[in-house]
Amino acid sequence: MTKHIVWDWNGTLFHDIDAVVGATNEVFKAYELAPMTADGFRAVYTRPIWVAYERMLGRPLVEGEWELLDTGFHDAYFRLAAECALAADAEHALTTWAGTQSLCSMAPHSHLVPKVDAFGITRHFTRIDGLIGVTGGEKAVHMAAHIESIAVRPRDVLVIGDSVDDAVAASHVGARAVLYTGGMSTRAELESTGFPVVDTLAEALEHA
């Protein structure tokens, strides 16, 4: 039985796919790549992000290239994300759940906390953990530290996210997961994890 939900932010509670795709297109404009649609981005998206960039370029990144791309992406993303809103049923899902809940995101912590607060939803979370340090990596270690910090048993935890990386992180700590199609990954990739796949956050709560 689920007692605690760990929510993902980008692509899950925060509907920012347009900002992600727009920022990616801006960064890769210098490489003369054709602009991607949301579906095109989902087709190449993976963690760590630099692997997705290598897929787009068809070659390995050279030394120093990742840092430049990552900085350029975040500069564009933060500007575009200002126009993005919460997922359609995010507030309803947060207020409906009767247990405890927290937020574990790969977004930079210094950006995440004020963004969550600006939407007036901070009160729903016992803890909010964004990333401190290098961005773009995998979530498993970050999730393990988050679970330890909130002092809940992994078997009592349901992770709700939008990517295969969320599924891997849940498995890494021994938690269950439900994966949401509104974010960065294709339905086929999400289904390949063996976890339930849903089209709304309200539907995700049914698996709790």
Side-chain angles (χ1 to χ4, degrees), residues 89-176:
D89 57 350
E91 289 191 77
H92 177 72
L94 290 170
T95 55
T96 299
W97 174 242
T100 56
Q101 49 196 334
S102 59
L103 183 58
C104 181
S105 172
M106 296 296 281
H109 189 78
S110 60
H111 175 78
L112 174 67
V113 171
K115 192 72 175 177
V116 173
D117 200 48
F119 282 115
I121 59 174
T122 302
R123 68 187 186 280
H124 294 297
F125 306 111
T126 59
R127 186 177 179 90
I128 297 174
D129 280 325
L131 202 61
I132 297 173
V134 179
T135 59
E138 296 171 314
K139 196 170 189 174
V141 174
H142 188 44
M143 179 66 75
H146 180 77
I147 294 293
E148 184 175 351
S149 296
I150 58 178
V152 295
R153 296 181 302 181
R155 67 185 184 189
D156 296 330
V157 172
L158 179 68
V159 174
I160 301 178
D162 70 305
S163 72
V164 171
D165 194 42
D166 290 305
V168 172
S171 295
H172 178 73
V173 298
R176 295 183 302 119

Side-chain angles (χ1 to χ4, degrees), residues 182-203:
M184 317 301 177
S185 300
T186 64
R187 174 177 283 275
E189 279 193 311
L190 297 179
E191 289 176 342
S192 73
T193 67
F195 285 116
V197 177
V198 299
D199 295 315
T200 68
L201 299 181
E203 189 182 351

Side-chain angles (χ1 to χ4, degrees), residues 59-72:
R59 62 165 175 79
L61 298 180
V62 300
E63 185 176 353
E65 194 172 18
W66 157 249
E67 290 78 8
L68 290 174
L69 288 169
D70 189 50
T71 298

